[in-house]
Amino acid sequence: MEDNMERDIAIGRIIGILSNQIKRQFDSSASKTGVTGVQGRVLHYLLGQPREQEIFQKDLEEEFNLRRSSATGILQLMEKNGYIERVPVEYDARLKKIVVLPKGLEASAAVDEDIRYVESKLQDGLTEEELEIFRRAAKKMLRNLQQSRDGEEKG
């Protein structure tokens, strides 16, 4: 993009385009892993948690800012494809913890590689200072939108 063209593009549009590019990048590697981009990110999150920690659907909804129906659909497909299993816990029959199955563990190396590659491409040519400024600005934007949404839901 040219400099003056960059100034004319709305922030929301830039973020939307960036988000689409990231999704495409992850989804393009689904052919070798069989795991979609969102499934890969869920697997990555699950495997990054301490083994003794129980993870539930609600945790994924919060971590990825998903609606309950979206999280349910993702988990149902991952379960159907043999990547995870939802297992009832003894202390509350309503809760089912998410357990990664061997097939999910097998896919995790390729998923981790894809995540590292995309992160590397995103950060290529950026200084630590630029990355920190971006992180701070993006977090503020996210908070702004969440506060706006929360205010609308209450009103």
Side-chain angles (χ1 to χ4, degrees), residues 8-24:
D8 294 339
I9 297 178
I11 290 173
R13 183 167 173 221
I14 292 171
I15 293 171
I17 292 168
L18 186 59
S19 176
N20 286 338
Q21 287 290 88
I22 292 168
K23 286 177 192 168
R24 279 191 202 119

Side-chain angles (χ1 to χ4, degrees), residues 104-143:
L105 289 171
E106 290 171 21
S108 70
V111 165
D112 289 347
E113 183 181 320
D114 289 341
I115 289 171
R116 280 192 303 277
Y117 174 78
V118 170
E119 284 291 324
S120 170
K121 294 306 281 181
L122 284 168
Q123 296 177 33
D124 195 28
L126 297 172
T127 66
E128 280 302 315
E129 181 183 11
E130 289 171 323
L131 291 169
E132 186 54 36
I133 290 168
F134 173 78
R135 285 183 190 102
R136 282 197 322 261
K139 286 177 184 178
K140 284 182 182 180
M141 290 176 195
L142 184 56
R143 274 194 305 271

Side-chain angles (χ1 to χ4, degrees), residues 6-7 12 16 24 31 37 52 64-66 71 81 85 90-91 104 108 111 115 130-133 138 147 152 154:
E6 286 181 22
R7 279 185 243 120
R24 279 191 202 119
S31 60
E52 64 277 359
F64 294 98
N65 195 23
L66 295 171
N81 292 335
E85 182 177 24
E90 293 177 13
Y91 56 87
S108 70
V111 165
I115 289 171
E130 289 171 323
L131 291 169
E132 186 54 36
I133 290 168
Q147 289 170 353
E152 290 172 7
K154 292 176 184 174

Side-chain angles (χ1 to χ4, degrees), residues 37-129:
V38 71
Q39 292 173 349
R41 289 189 297 277
V42 168
L43 270 178
H44 183 76
Y45 171 76
L46 292 171
L47 293 169
Q49 304 308 305
R51 281 186 185 239
E52 64 277 359
Q53 183 177 345
E54 295 178 332
I55 306 295
F56 302 97
Q57 178 172 328
K58 185 80 174 146
D59 298 316
L60 296 178
E61 292 168 11
E62 290 174 10
E63 177 68 20
F64 294 98
N65 195 23
L66 295 171
R67 291 187 174 104
R68 182 181 300 150
S69 59
S70 298
T72 297
I74 292 164
L75 293 174
Q76 284 175 340
L77 189 56
M78 290 179 76
E79 197 166 25
K80 177 182 172 192
N81 292 335
Y83 296 113
I84 63 158
E85 182 177 24
R86 290 182 281 183
V87 180
V89 293
E90 293 177 13
Y91 56 87
D92 189 336
R94 299 168 296 176
L95 292 176
K96 292 184 179 184
K97 66 182 178 180
I98 301 166
V99 177
V100 179
L101 297 175
K103 186 175 179 182
L105 289 171
E106 290 171 21
S108 70
V111 165
D112 289 347
E113 183 181 320
D114 289 341
I115 289 171
R116 280 192 303 277
Y117 174 78
V118 170
E119 284 291 324
S120 170
K121 294 306 281 181
L122 284 168
Q123 296 177 33
D124 195 28
L126 297 172
T127 66
E128 280 302 315
E129 181 183 11

